[in-house]
Short mmCIF file of all heavy atoms in Angstrom, two decimals:
data_model
loop_
_atom_site.label_atom_id
_atom_site.label_comp_id
_atom_site.label_asym_id
_atom_site.label_seq_id
_atom_site.Cartn_x
_atom_site.Cartn_y
_atom_site.Cartn_z
N ASP I 97 -17.41 14.85 -3.25
CA ASP I 97 -16.58 14.00 -3.98
C ASP I 97 -16.53 12.61 -3.47
O ASP I 97 -16.09 11.64 -4.16
CB ASP I 97 -15.07 14.51 -4.14
CG ASP I 97 -14.24 14.35 -2.95
OD1 ASP I 97 -14.56 13.74 -2.01
OD2 ASP I 97 -13.17 14.88 -3.01
N GLY I 98 -16.99 12.33 -2.20
CA GLY I 98 -17.23 10.95 -1.68
C GLY I 98 -15.92 10.32 -1.24
O GLY I 98 -16.00 9.14 -0.90
N THR I 99 -14.75 11.02 -1.16
CA THR I 99 -13.51 10.40 -0.69
C THR I 99 -13.84 9.82 0.65
O THR I 99 -14.39 10.45 1.59
CB THR I 99 -12.45 11.50 -0.58
OG1 THR I 99 -12.26 11.95 -1.96
CG2 THR I 99 -11.18 10.86 0.04
N TRP I 100 -13.33 8.54 0.87
CA TRP I 100 -13.37 7.91 2.16
C TRP I 100 -12.37 8.45 3.12
O TRP I 100 -11.26 8.58 2.71
CB TRP I 100 -13.35 6.40 2.09
CG TRP I 100 -14.54 5.79 1.46
CD1 TRP I 100 -14.66 5.31 0.17
CD2 TRP I 100 -15.81 5.53 2.18
NE1 TRP I 100 -15.93 4.89 0.02
CE2 TRP I 100 -16.61 5.02 1.16
CE3 TRP I 100 -16.34 5.86 3.43
CZ2 TRP I 100 -17.94 4.64 1.32
CZ3 TRP I 100 -17.59 5.53 3.65
CH2 TRP I 100 -18.42 4.90 2.69
N GLN I 101 -12.81 8.71 4.37
CA GLN I 101 -11.85 9.20 5.35
C GLN I 101 -11.92 8.23 6.50
O GLN I 101 -13.00 8.04 7.06
CB GLN I 101 -12.29 10.57 5.86
CG GLN I 101 -12.30 11.66 4.81
CD GLN I 101 -12.93 12.94 5.35
OE1 GLN I 101 -14.01 12.87 5.78
NE2 GLN I 101 -12.15 13.96 5.28
N ILE I 102 -10.79 7.70 6.98
CA ILE I 102 -10.71 6.87 8.11
C ILE I 102 -9.85 7.56 9.14
O ILE I 102 -8.67 7.78 8.86
CB ILE I 102 -10.26 5.44 7.78
CG1 ILE I 102 -11.13 4.75 6.68
CG2 ILE I 102 -10.22 4.62 8.99
CD1 ILE I 102 -10.53 3.57 6.11
N PHE I 103 -10.49 8.00 10.15
CA PHE I 103 -9.73 8.73 11.24
C PHE I 103 -9.29 7.69 12.28
O PHE I 103 -10.12 7.09 12.96
CB PHE I 103 -10.62 9.87 11.86
CG PHE I 103 -10.94 10.89 10.90
CD1 PHE I 103 -12.04 10.88 10.07
CD2 PHE I 103 -10.13 11.98 10.76
CE1 PHE I 103 -12.38 11.85 9.24
CE2 PHE I 103 -10.36 13.01 9.82
CZ PHE I 103 -11.53 12.94 9.10
N VAL I 104 -7.98 7.54 12.47
CA VAL I 104 -7.44 6.50 13.40
C VAL I 104 -6.64 7.22 14.50
O VAL I 104 -5.86 8.04 14.28
CB VAL I 104 -6.43 5.61 12.66
CG1 VAL I 104 -5.93 4.57 13.58
CG2 VAL I 104 -7.00 5.02 11.41
N ARG I 105 -7.14 6.97 15.85
CA ARG I 105 -6.38 7.53 16.95
C ARG I 105 -5.27 6.71 17.32
O ARG I 105 -5.41 5.52 17.66
CB ARG I 105 -7.40 7.65 18.09
CG ARG I 105 -6.80 8.32 19.36
CD ARG I 105 -7.82 8.79 20.35
NE ARG I 105 -8.79 9.72 19.85
CZ ARG I 105 -8.63 11.08 19.72
NH1 ARG I 105 -7.43 11.60 20.00
NH2 ARG I 105 -9.50 11.88 19.26
N LEU I 106 -4.09 7.21 17.13
CA LEU I 106 -2.94 6.47 17.54
C LEU I 106 -2.55 6.58 19.07
O LEU I 106 -3.11 7.51 19.74
CB LEU I 106 -1.63 7.23 16.88
CG LEU I 106 -1.74 7.10 15.27
CD1 LEU I 106 -0.57 7.81 14.69
CD2 LEU I 106 -1.88 5.71 14.77
N PRO I 107 -1.80 5.73 19.62
CA PRO I 107 -1.32 5.81 20.98
C PRO I 107 -0.83 7.23 21.23
O PRO I 107 -0.08 7.81 20.46
CB PRO I 107 -0.30 4.76 21.25
CG PRO I 107 -0.61 3.73 20.05
CD PRO I 107 -1.08 4.52 19.03
N GLY I 108 -1.18 7.85 22.30
CA GLY I 108 -0.72 9.11 22.64
C GLY I 108 -1.73 10.25 22.23
O GLY I 108 -1.59 11.46 22.56
N GLY I 109 -2.72 9.84 21.40
CA GLY I 109 -3.75 10.79 20.98
C GLY I 109 -3.69 11.38 19.67
O GLY I 109 -4.64 12.06 19.12
N LEU I 110 -2.51 11.23 18.95
CA LEU I 110 -2.52 11.80 17.61
C LEU I 110 -3.43 11.06 16.63
O LEU I 110 -3.70 9.84 16.79
CB LEU I 110 -1.03 11.64 17.10
CG LEU I 110 -0.76 12.09 15.67
CD1 LEU I 110 -0.92 13.57 15.55
CD2 LEU I 110 0.60 11.78 15.17
N VAL I 111 -4.05 11.84 15.79
CA VAL I 111 -5.02 11.23 14.82
C VAL I 111 -4.51 11.33 13.46
O VAL I 111 -4.01 12.31 12.98
CB VAL I 111 -6.33 12.09 14.93
CG1 VAL I 111 -7.32 11.50 13.80
CG2 VAL I 111 -6.97 11.92 16.30
N LEU I 112 -4.53 10.14 12.70
CA LEU I 112 -4.22 10.08 11.32
C LEU I 112 -5.55 9.97 10.58
O LEU I 112 -6.45 9.24 10.99
CB LEU I 112 -3.41 8.80 11.07
CG LEU I 112 -2.01 8.69 11.48
CD1 LEU I 112 -1.36 7.44 10.99
CD2 LEU I 112 -1.25 9.95 10.96
N GLU I 113 -5.64 10.75 9.44
CA GLU I 113 -6.80 10.69 8.54
C GLU I 113 -6.21 9.84 7.34
O GLU I 113 -5.26 10.31 6.68
CB GLU I 113 -7.24 11.95 8.06
CG GLU I 113 -8.30 11.92 7.05
CD GLU I 113 -8.66 13.34 6.44
OE1 GLU I 113 -8.71 14.37 7.26
OE2 GLU I 113 -8.95 13.39 5.18
N LEU I 114 -6.71 8.72 7.01
CA LEU I 114 -6.37 7.90 5.95
C LEU I 114 -7.45 7.96 4.84
O LEU I 114 -8.63 7.59 5.04
CB LEU I 114 -6.15 6.46 6.31
CG LEU I 114 -5.18 6.29 7.56
CD1 LEU I 114 -5.08 4.75 7.97
CD2 LEU I 114 -3.83 6.81 7.23
N ASP I 115 -7.13 8.59 3.64
CA ASP I 115 -8.09 8.82 2.67
C ASP I 115 -7.89 7.76 1.53
O ASP I 115 -6.82 7.55 1.06
CB ASP I 115 -7.84 10.28 2.02
CG ASP I 115 -8.17 11.29 2.96
OD1 ASP I 115 -8.82 11.11 4.08
OD2 ASP I 115 -7.80 12.54 2.80
N ALA I 116 -9.06 7.31 1.06
CA ALA I 116 -9.10 6.35 -0.09
C ALA I 116 -10.15 6.86 -1.01
O ALA I 116 -11.07 7.58 -0.78
CB ALA I 116 -9.44 5.08 0.43
N PRO I 117 -10.03 6.61 -2.34
CA PRO I 117 -10.92 7.00 -3.32
C PRO I 117 -12.46 6.43 -3.10
O PRO I 117 -12.59 5.48 -2.52
CB PRO I 117 -10.44 6.57 -4.69
CG PRO I 117 -9.28 5.72 -4.38
CD PRO I 117 -8.95 5.72 -2.90
N ALA I 118 -13.31 7.30 -3.65
CA ALA I 118 -14.74 6.91 -3.55
C ALA I 118 -15.11 5.89 -4.62
O ALA I 118 -15.81 6.25 -5.44
CB ALA I 118 -15.53 8.23 -3.79
N THR I 119 -14.61 4.65 -4.39
CA THR I 119 -14.99 3.58 -5.32
C THR I 119 -15.94 2.66 -4.77
O THR I 119 -16.40 1.78 -5.50
CB THR I 119 -13.67 2.77 -5.79
OG1 THR I 119 -13.02 2.29 -4.51
CG2 THR I 119 -12.69 3.66 -6.49
N GLN I 120 -16.25 2.71 -3.48
CA GLN I 120 -17.14 1.77 -2.85
C GLN I 120 -18.50 2.59 -2.59
O GLN I 120 -18.39 3.72 -2.16
CB GLN I 120 -16.58 1.29 -1.52
CG GLN I 120 -15.41 0.50 -1.55
CD GLN I 120 -15.67 -0.90 -1.93
OE1 GLN I 120 -15.12 -1.38 -2.93
NE2 GLN I 120 -16.37 -1.54 -1.20
N ALA I 121 -19.56 1.90 -2.71
CA ALA I 121 -20.84 2.65 -2.37
C ALA I 121 -21.15 2.62 -1.02
O ALA I 121 -21.82 3.59 -0.50
CB ALA I 121 -21.92 1.82 -3.14
N GLU I 122 -20.56 1.72 -0.22
CA GLU I 122 -20.87 1.77 1.24
C GLU I 122 -19.68 1.14 1.98
O GLU I 122 -19.00 0.27 1.50
CB GLU I 122 -22.13 0.93 1.56
CG GLU I 122 -22.69 1.14 2.80
CD GLU I 122 -24.04 0.41 2.94
OE1 GLU I 122 -24.90 0.53 2.01
OE2 GLU I 122 -24.29 -0.22 3.89
N CYS I 123 -19.36 1.64 3.17
CA CYS I 123 -18.42 1.17 3.99
C CYS I 123 -18.77 1.47 5.49
O CYS I 123 -19.25 2.42 5.80
CB CYS I 123 -17.12 2.10 3.72
SG CYS I 123 -15.58 1.46 4.70
#
Side-chain angles (χ1 to χ4, degrees):
D97 79 6
T99 298
W100 287 104
Q101 302 170 299
I102 304 170
F103 294 91
V104 183
R105 183 164 301 279
L106 300 178
L110 180 63
V111 175
L112 288 184
E113 174 186 325
L114 306 177
D115 294 343
T119 56
Q120 296 280 120
E122 198 170 314
C123 182

